[in-house]
Amino acid sequence: MRHVDEYRDAAKARSLAASIAALCEPGRRYTFMEVCGGHTHTIYKHGIEDYLPEAVSLVHGPGCPVCVIPMGRVDDAIDIASRPDVIMTTFGDMMRVPGGRGSFLDAKAAGADIRMVYSPLDALGIAERNPSRRVVFMGIGFETTAPSTAMTVLRAASAGVANFSVFCNHVTILPAIKAILDSPDLRLDGFIGPGHVSAVIGCRPYGFITRDYGKPLVVAGFEPLDILQSIHMLLTQLAEGRCEVENQYGRVVPWDGNAKALQAINRTMEPRPYFEWRGLGFISHSALRMKDASFDAERLFDIPGSRVADPRSCQCGEVLKGVLKPYECKVFGTACTPETPIGTCMVSSEGACAAYYNFGRFTRERVKEATR
């Protein structure tokens, strides 16, 4: 455990917090967005906000892959899964995500053959063992998980597995960040960049954020000291009048990304003209689809292309854009809980609402006391 302990040293955390406070200009407030849901969980699991001065606020971005899937895509996936010759496979997080007509769990209870897998290769194995059935893998995630889907498709093609396909919902982070920067709702001073996505795409693609929008970005790791050091790096840039992309997570993230992973994606997938994101609407070139029609479930099956409005009580969209804190949602912790989720942000293990619910309820209570 020595390696983990080094990144959770309380004395170093207090020292960094003091340096962060010293960097804040009197009377100025700073708002940074952590793009990745993994960062949100680190922040609340380890009480990072309690170390920060009041001048520094953190808001949450659209970095949870399950949270940004619109309800209509869930309905389309259930439409495919409900066919008698189909085995639908998906990650565990997707099982309870509500669509307009229920979730995968509801469809499974109604008789659909839906199986939870831990990787796309598990889905390919199911296809190889069931040659008379059509096995569909629901691909979700950012550039972090797209390479594993791509490599599985390449293996399926090499092995001649013809009954395997992908219902592709892989999304890309850069257009989503651009959409947030173009939003009039939000004022940000900088970004804590995603660590997992950046391990694939590298740091160089974020250059437009500093060049065109004048916002610094620091790619960060997922331990408490990673987050605090990233905030310190952002404040240092602002104090010195710099605006750059910096890499705090250099032990994992190469500046130019993972060439083999990017090649696998480019061999099997291509950008969609547009894709609907929950809370952000349609964003051009923000998602991927399969290049080869024989592996593309959307072209193999006649799906309805559903569009479903979010429940009026659910404010996941505002949470994903960083406009609202999860505890400001009207149904947070009452009608919407991890056991009875209304929105995706409460379902996913990376969702901001789940993070607040599981780790941040005391923070919420403090906010309520402060606003009385």
Side-chain angles (χ1 to χ4, degrees):
M1 297 298 291
R2 180 175 174 272
H3 186 68
V4 171
D5 291 343
E6 289 174 347
Y7 295 101
R8 299 180 181 181
D9 186 293
K12 291 181 179 176
R14 285 191 289 271
S15 175
L16 266 174
S19 297
I20 287 171
L23 283 168
C24 294
E25 294 179 18
R28 180 174 175 179
R29 300 194 68 83
Y30 304 85
T31 302
F32 301 122
M33 172 177 279
E34 85 269 8
V35 176
C36 180
H39 287 154
T40 303
H41 271 249
T42 296
I43 288 165
Y44 286 95
K45 181 177 180 180
H46 296 280
I48 298 297
E49 283 193 325
D50 294 340
Y51 278 81
L52 300 177
E54 289 187 6
V56 178
S57 298
L58 301 177
V59 296
H60 320 294
C64 166
V66 172
C67 300
V68 300
I69 298 297
M71 297 175 75
R73 295 294 289 183
V74 177
D75 283 354
D76 284 351
I78 290 175
D79 183 272
I80 296 173
S82 300
R83 304 174 196 218
D85 62 336
V86 168
I87 301 173
M88 175 64 77
T89 58
T90 184
F91 294 135
D93 273 4
M94 279 303 304
M95 294 297 287
R96 294 189 303 124
V97 174
R101 300 193 301 274
S103 66
F104 271 153
L105 279 180
D106 297 324
K108 185 176 177 67
D113 191 347
I114 302 174
R115 306 182 190 183
M116 190 181 75
V117 295
Y118 293 101
S119 80
L121 283 174
D122 292 343
L124 181 60
I126 293 172
E128 291 173 322
R129 294 190 296 275
N130 296 271
S132 64
R133 308 281 298 279
R134 297 198 286 177
V135 176
V136 179
F137 173 66
M138 183 159 180
I140 64 165
F142 288 86
E143 290 92 338
T144 314
T145 54
S148 62
T149 302
M151 294 300 293
T152 302
V153 168
L154 291 172
R155 180 174 294 193
S158 175
V161 182
N163 63 327
F164 174 78
S165 61
V166 177
F167 182 53
C168 188
N169 295 275
H170 286 295
V171 289
T172 53
I173 194 67
L174 299 177
I177 293 177
K178 185 176 185 306
I180 286 171
L181 286 164
D182 288 334
S183 171
D185 299 335
L186 194 62
R187 298 288 182 270
L188 289 175
D189 295 285
F191 290 92
I192 299 172
H196 293 146
V197 166
S198 304
V200 176
I201 69 172
C203 300
R204 198 177 300 279
Y206 299 118
F208 78 96
I209 298 172
T210 57
R211 183 185 63 246
D212 300 338
Y213 293 91
K215 307 295 182 186
L217 181 145
V218 175
V219 173
F222 294 89
E223 291 297 331
L225 292 187
D226 290 327
I227 301 292
L228 287 170
Q229 187 179 28
S230 300
I231 294 169
H232 186 273
M233 292 167 72
L234 285 167
L235 286 167
T236 300
Q237 286 200 42
L238 293 172
E240 296 176 352
R242 294 186 291 116
C243 181
E244 301 170 4
V245 177
E246 292 184 318
N247 185 11
Q248 183 277 335
Y249 203 25
R251 65 185 186 275
V252 171
V253 174
W255 187 262
D256 289 315
N258 184 323
K260 288 187 177 179
L262 292 171
Q263 287 170 5
I265 294 174
N266 291 332
R267 285 178 63 187
T268 57
M269 303 178 194
E270 61 188 2
R272 294 174 183 268
Y274 55 86
F275 190 77
E276 183 180 10
W277 291 57
R278 188 162 190 167
L280 299 177
F282 285 92
I283 304 175
S284 60
H285 302 107
S286 64
L288 302 169
R289 66 180 181 186
M290 308 310 298
K291 281 184 176 177
D292 187 338
S294 64
F295 290 108
D296 186 356
E298 288 181 74
R299 282 179 275 182
L300 293 173
F301 298 91
D302 182 20
I303 59 173
S306 308
R307 291 199 64 198
V308 182
D310 290 339
R312 288 188 177 183
S313 59
C314 175
Q315 295 180 284
C316 276
E318 285 76 11
V319 172
L320 289 169
K321 289 188 291 187
V323 176
L324 288 184
K325 292 277 192 178
Y327 57 76
E328 294 175 317
C329 175
K330 291 175 286 189
V331 292
F332 174 84
T334 53
C336 186
T337 69
E339 291 75 27
T340 58
I342 295 176
T344 51
C345 295
M346 190 62 90
V347 178
S348 170
S349 59
E350 293 189 16
C353 293
Y356 267 82
Y357 189 90
N358 290 323
F359 305 119
R361 300 190 77 180
F362 292 113
T363 299
R364 184 190 180 209
E365 292 304 312
R366 282 201 295 274
V367 171
K368 287 172 63 178
E369 290 175 6
T371 55
R372 281 173 185 165

